[in-house]
Amino acid sequence: MTPDAHLLSHALQLIQQSLHDCLPDDPILLWQLDPVRNKLKFFSEPIFQTLGLNVPLLFQNGEYLDRTVLEDDHAALRDALDKMKMQRHTGVFFRIRDNDGCLRWLIMLGMPAPETPFSYIGVIGRCTRMLRRVMGEQHGIPPESMDWLSSPAMLVSFSSWKIIHANRSARELCGQNENTPLEDIFAISEDLKIAIYESLTFSHRWQGILRVRKPGGSPLPCSVMMRPLSQDGHHCLWIRLTPLLTVDPAISEAREETPLPALSAASGERDLLRLILRDPQILPAAEGIILSRIFPEENRVSVTCEGAMFTNSMQHADFPYVGSIAENIVRFGLNSLTVDETSRSIRPIDWALFIPQGVRSYYAEPWFEQNGIRLVLIFCSPRGGAFSDVRGASLRKLVDAFARRLHELDAGQMP
């Protein structure tokens, strides 16, 4: 079970309940946004072939949005994108021109992902079939559509507590099929059953930890979410399961000690960056390193790049603080930030700096003083996912030592 699959379960559930009649005819694209890392992911091919529309570029590239979307709708769509970054519910209708130059209406809806902090999910689709659905009869969820979900899910009769339908993941997890009593799967006491009924009646949902009785194996604790659902005139329960997998004790939470190179030997800012980049004991995957000096009060970050991978040798180049890595770190209280694929990002600095420099993944760790964030040290790679196994705040001592030596160098350069 991956976080993406967990979010997909939630998002598909919402789509099935409200947009099912649209799906057979017009594509509805499901996407997930991580506003902390500004990472955008689509769960299907994110292109409307009949329209010639590259949907990710609407999020990522302002020039593409200006070219594609009707000018009268620019402000509304940009306002919706800003709301998404701030994790606020949003919905917007907008028009584009297709390959033949004809106007087409699209709708985009977004909301914070249920029970998943700092994640955002949404859909984007063509509107014609959707409007027909709004004017037509509302239907429930076809049980076979549950098989779209990669996470375990089942439909259960509210009165008999027997399974009506379970998707493949649920059958593999529980070893049971239709008409199986729910009590044969979960260890549920009568008191807990009453509490679940009360929660479903008054709060329209119940969530908690239950143990799944796996056939021939030990009980597996799962996070279980139940919601009432009307299905073809019958009262049912929609149940989603998330196995709570234990963490392998062999995996260290973080590297306790990061070897420190002889930073005192550095004679300048670039020399200091080279010493860190060339030390194989720090982050071997790094093929470039960036120092970002932070000036939030001036809405400015000053960037210096070092490493053969960069297309140009940038030094003290200014970029806006708003939309930067530093702003993300401060807004969400992060110790570090890892981006596995910059091409999925909607962060402005990624498209202004990292992508043009050939950076596909990076690991960033900040340094704070009493007045707030003052620098971010960023390890870069031309390969995607190069730092996916790096634990947060693993380079804290190194960054502290770097900041101290940088301060000494800056002071020595002052008149």
Side-chain angles (χ1 to χ4, degrees), residues 182-226:
L182 209 57
E183 290 92 335
D184 289 357
I185 298 175
F186 300 121
I188 303 178
S189 65
E190 282 301 314
D191 289 341
L192 178 57
K193 190 173 181 178
I194 293 173
I196 291 174
Y197 270 127
E198 289 180 351
S199 182
L200 291 170
T201 301
F202 296 106
S203 302
H204 303 290
R205 62 175 292 154
W206 180 87
Q207 185 168 10
I209 306 298
L210 296 176
R211 292 184 176 274
V212 173
R213 295 165 173 164
K214 296 187 66 177
S218 58
L220 175 67
C222 292
S223 173
V224 179
M225 184 277 293
M226 301 183 184

Side-chain angles (χ1 to χ4, degrees), residues 45-338:
E45 183 63 30
I47 296 177
F48 286 115
Q49 298 289 356
T50 56
L51 302 182
L53 176 67
N54 190 321
V55 179
L57 288 183
L58 289 178
F59 293 79
Q60 299 169 326
N61 191 317
E63 293 182 0
Y64 181 82
L65 186 152
D66 291 340
R67 292 197 311 270
T68 308
V69 178
L70 198 69
E71 185 175 358
D72 291 347
D73 297 339
H74 285 179
L77 182 55
R78 290 183 187 278
D79 180 65
L81 294 175
D82 288 340
K83 288 179 180 177
M84 291 173 188
K85 295 175 186 178
M86 300 301 294
Q87 291 192 291
R88 294 164 55 188
H89 286 73
T90 188
V92 63
F93 291 93
F94 62 98
R95 290 162 290 179
I96 68 166
R97 294 191 182 276
D98 65 13
N99 289 331
D100 298 324
C102 298
L103 289 179
R104 304 292 185 183
W105 279 97
L106 298 178
I107 184 174
M108 183 161 61
L109 306 172
M111 63 177 290
E115 306 134 22
T116 309
F118 300 140
S119 289
Y120 196 92
I121 55 176
V123 294
I124 183 169
R126 294 163 61 179
C127 296
T128 304
R129 303 301 193 280
M130 184 180 298
L131 294 176
R132 289 177 180 173
R133 180 264 170 198
V134 170
M135 293 184 292
E137 182 181 358
Q138 183 174 357
H139 301 286
I141 301 175
E144 61 272 14
S145 69
M146 295 173 60
D147 293 323
W148 299 340
L149 306 181
S150 59
S151 56
M154 59 183 69
L155 201 61
V156 174
S157 168
F158 194 88
S159 58
S160 68
W161 271 48
K162 290 185 177 181
I163 297 175
I164 298 173
H165 186 81
N167 67 0
R168 180 177 178 180
S169 296
R171 294 193 298 270
E172 291 176 350
L173 177 67
C174 307
Q176 305 290 349
N177 214 320
E178 285 75 11
N179 294 318
T180 300
L182 209 57
E183 290 92 335
D184 289 357
I185 298 175
F186 300 121
I188 303 178
S189 65
E190 282 301 314
D191 289 341
L192 178 57
K193 190 173 181 178
I194 293 173
I196 291 174
Y197 270 127
E198 289 180 351
S199 182
L200 291 170
T201 301
F202 296 106
S203 302
H204 303 290
R205 62 175 292 154
W206 180 87
Q207 185 168 10
I209 306 298
L210 296 176
R211 292 184 176 274
V212 173
R213 295 165 173 164
K214 296 187 66 177
S218 58
L220 175 67
C222 292
S223 173
V224 179
M225 184 277 293
M226 301 183 184
R227 286 192 176 130
L229 176 70
S230 179
Q231 177 73 20
D232 297 329
H234 301 287
H235 296 296
C236 304
L237 291 177
W238 170 274
I239 300 180
R240 176 187 53 78
L241 301 91
T242 304
L244 300 178
L245 304 178
T246 57
V247 178
D248 186 346
I251 300 176
S252 173
E253 284 296 317
R255 289 183 292 176
E256 295 295 333
E257 298 291 338
T258 300
L260 298 179
L263 301 182
S264 58
S267 58
E269 179 184 86
R270 283 194 173 279
D271 196 24
L272 187 57
L273 291 172
R274 291 189 198 103
L275 281 173
I276 294 178
L277 180 60
R278 294 172 181 173
D279 192 320
Q281 299 184 78
I282 298 176
L283 286 183
E287 298 182 40
I289 189 169
I290 294 177
L291 166 63
S292 181
R293 298 174 184 254
I294 315 302
F295 306 94
E297 62 280 357
E298 303 175 20
N299 187 29
R300 178 172 67 91
V301 299
S302 179
V303 168
T304 297
C305 302
E306 183 61 45
M309 65 165 287
F310 294 124
T311 56
N312 61 68
S313 183
M314 194 175 293
Q315 186 168 10
H316 299 160
D318 287 346
F319 294 88
Y321 170 77
V322 175
S324 68
I325 294 173
E327 185 200 29
N328 255 122
I329 287 173
V330 171
R331 177 185 297 176
F332 295 101
L334 305 178
N335 291 324
S336 62
L337 177 64
T338 302

